[in-house]
Amino acid sequence: MRISVMRLCSLLLSSPLLYSFVSSFSLVTSRHRISSYSSSPWSSDESYGFTSDDLNRISVKLFSSPSDDDDDEDMSDVLNDRDWRAFRAKLVMSENESTVASGVDYSSLDESVADSKVQELDDDPDARAFAALDPTIWAYDTGNVIEQGAVILGGVEQSFGFGLRQQYFHKAVMLVLEHDERFTRGIILNRPSSRTILDEDEDTGRITQWKVWYGGDVQGLGSGMMEVVCLHSLQSDAAIEVSTTVINEIRRTSFGDARELVAKGLARPSDFWTFAGYAGWGPNQLAEELERKSWYMVATDSQTLLQQMANQAQGQDPRNAGLDTWTLLMGMIGKSDIAKKKSDEFDDLMLKEWAREHLLVDVEKSSYDAKLRSAPSTNDISNIDPIDRVIQQAAANAKGEYVGPGMLVRGSSADRSPYLLSKQELHKSIVLIVTDDEKLTTGAILNRPSSRGVQLQIISKITGSKKEVVIPLRYGGEYSIRGGDQSTLFWFHCSKMLQEKNVGSPLGINNPKGVWRCSAEEASSAIAEGSAEPTDFIVVSGLSIWTKGDKGISRGIEGEVKTGNFEIIPKKKVKEVYEVLLHQQVLNTGNIQSNLDISNEAWNLGEPVLKRNERDNDEPLDGIGDEYDEENDTLVFKSNTKLTTLSDKALRYWVATFLLGEPSLG
């Protein structure tokens, strides 16, 4: 049976199931008439577009039959019974029939041709990946075509990745469950966890255990209102009746319906992949992110996805974060070179740490967010008799353990920094406590100079000469002060001469020789009369805030110290630490590392005596040859990277991205 091109198109258009396919296919093929894309499965050295002859030849290949009957109704039945995404895949990949992914049956080839194909597999690692799989599997890059059943792969070519924020999206493999012009919903398929949902039958008391996967950040694991969806490939009428088909052989159903099927004995919990949460995009949001290369849109067969989910369910360590699945699919769409270049880099390591923190249940949680949830309440810290509280503070001040206005604290020295996955600006930070009352603590980060400076015009009171000076403007925290002019900036000094002249006032009564706060006018006047240099002052924009309240909310700075997020810098070290920071300069592309080095010098100088005594001088192993020391908790999972090194790298990325606007310098 031979079908004309016009007849084939007519049949395609007559099927409502194929409308999106035809539209998408037209968009993609028209794009390839304009220019060639070397990364496309259709790639060639020249611009390529399907001609009528190509379509006619393809139609013969796909629908040739021993029957000569050209019945339109029979053909419609054939079309409707097929997985139309597979049909489209064969159209796309028909020009590269030497690739195993095209579905060629090599058993029909003679020995000499088969030998040549084997040689091709030896030479092409991507083709080797397909060789072990069923020849019906397929995958290809669909460009910017978004549709239900499509797979979204996390991109690695954008200028700013997911290393610092939303690490769970890095190298994610997401299945699009719904898509229209208003909203797109997807779930992440490659984030298995060791978490479970225990479901107790009210009548029998029987407990059923459901393994839960991280599906996305909306109503996901740990949220107050988890949205749980189950994927399956069950073929029973009962399962199909309560399910919606996503793509051929993969259906979704609610957790409630899945539970009911299990309760009736019609299914087992292991028949389902249970996901908590989802990822969502508003109108045009996903399309815009595709333009920025944040994602790759992929079409693939259902068996590939089912097999990969089955592999992950069979005991894969959640700390590996499903990276193997992403790598496989990248190879299937011809992007293995990109995948290899972006392997075990910063974003991969950050994803593994995110997975450890959020997908495992049997490890100590060390992140800032985890400590925030488990920290004691403000009442647990300060709900004592007021007189006893005063006595406690006096004793703490005598020991150098008092934390209040005018004191310095530094970010935790733990191997696994609480500020690795979020709030990286606080890693190895030096914070000056500005205020502390019953509601909150405010502080200013002193060791984060930005790319901006404060320009002053100074007229000497002695000679009358004019000069302009620039003082580095430092990032003090994420909370800005209303106004936006220089009156909202914080000016600090620690100069004995200026203190004797009462330039400004001390921040805390417990340390009158420590850091003082003054106004811009007072600083300018002191510089003009020669009693101060511009380098005597630290100027800060913004504040960091720690609130006080019930459990689940920050405990103020005292609570942060008690939970190990910060350490008190000894009072006698305050002036010395401050003076080291005065050597930092306005941030630029040439001094980012030198500024960080000065910051680290000051941070090390502020080490509490107790910490110095407790410090273990034994260096951790750097792995075992080409293998990894998986028992060494000071290293990132399956890597030789120390956590301290990764935390420092994350801080540099944060500085380069948010203070300098140059993510590539991270």
Side-chain angles (χ1 to χ4, degrees), residues 154 156 169-173 190-191 323 326 339 342-343 348 351:
V156 290
F169 280 139
H170 175 63
K171 292 187 177 179
V173 177
N190 62 330
R191 301 288 184 258
L323 289 171
W326 180 88
K342 299 294 183 178
S343 177
D348 279 15
L351 171 62

Side-chain angles (χ1 to χ4, degrees), residues 147-152 169 173-179 183-189 214-218 227 229 231 246 252 275-281 286:
E147 59 188 353
Q148 178 180 305
V151 170
I152 306 172
F169 280 139
V173 177
M174 290 184 280
L175 178 64
V176 177
L177 300 183
E178 305 171 23
H179 172 68
F183 186 67
T184 302
R185 179 193 301 260
I187 54 172
I188 303 176
L189 301 182
Y214 182 89
D217 55 349
V218 182
E227 177 168 311
V229 64
L231 296 184
V246 181
R252 65 182 174 95
F275 297 87
Y278 63 91
W281 292 266
L286 180 55

Side-chain angles (χ1 to χ4, degrees), residues 121-294:
L121 297 181
D122 290 338
D123 296 337
D124 184 354
D126 286 346
R128 282 202 305 274
F130 290 115
L133 302 172
D134 189 282
T136 61
I137 73 161
W138 48 266
Y140 62 93
D141 187 336
T142 63
N144 292 348
V145 177
I146 307 170
E147 59 188 353
Q148 178 180 305
V151 170
I152 306 172
L153 298 183
V156 290
E157 297 179 86
Q158 67 271 42
S159 59
F160 179 59
F162 294 109
L164 296 181
R165 302 286 185 270
Q166 299 178 304
Q167 291 89 356
Y168 43 84
F169 280 139
H170 175 63
K171 292 187 177 179
V173 177
M174 290 184 280
L175 178 64
V176 177
L177 300 183
E178 305 171 23
H179 172 68
D180 58 31
E181 67 276 4
R182 295 170 298 175
F183 186 67
T184 302
R185 179 193 301 260
I187 54 172
I188 303 176
L189 301 182
N190 62 330
R191 301 288 184 258
S193 81
S194 62
R195 297 170 179 261
T196 57
I197 294 177
L198 300 180
D199 180 28
E200 183 176 0
D201 188 296
E202 295 180 356
D203 297 327
T204 65
R206 178 185 175 187
I207 296 178
T208 305
Q209 183 170 287
W210 301 73
K211 182 177 179 179
V212 184
W213 297 41
Y214 182 89
D217 55 349
V218 182
Q219 294 182 255
L221 288 173
S223 67
M225 297 179 60
M226 283 197 308
E227 177 168 311
V228 181
V229 64
C230 296
L231 296 184
H232 66 86
S233 59
L234 297 171
Q235 301 295 325
S236 67
D237 292 340
I240 292 175
E241 184 179 352
V242 296
S243 304
T244 300
T245 299
V246 181
I247 55 175
N248 186 44
E249 298 182 351
I250 297 182
R251 300 177 179 86
R252 65 182 174 95
T253 188
S254 68
F255 182 55
D257 285 333
R259 291 173 60 204
E260 189 170 342
L261 288 171
V262 171
K264 291 179 179 179
L266 301 176
R268 299 166 299 174
S270 59
D271 291 327
F272 300 92
W273 290 275
T274 305
F275 297 87
Y278 63 91
W281 292 266
N284 298 319
Q285 183 181 355
L286 180 55
E288 292 171 357
E289 293 176 5
L290 286 169
E291 292 292 336
R292 297 196 297 269
K293 294 187 177 182
S294 296

Side-chain angles (χ1 to χ4, degrees), residues 54 473 653:
D54 291 324
L473 180 60
Y653 262 108

Side-chain angles (χ1 to χ4, degrees), residues 524-535:
S524 299
S525 179
I527 295 172
E529 67 183 21
S531 57
E533 294 292 331
T535 53

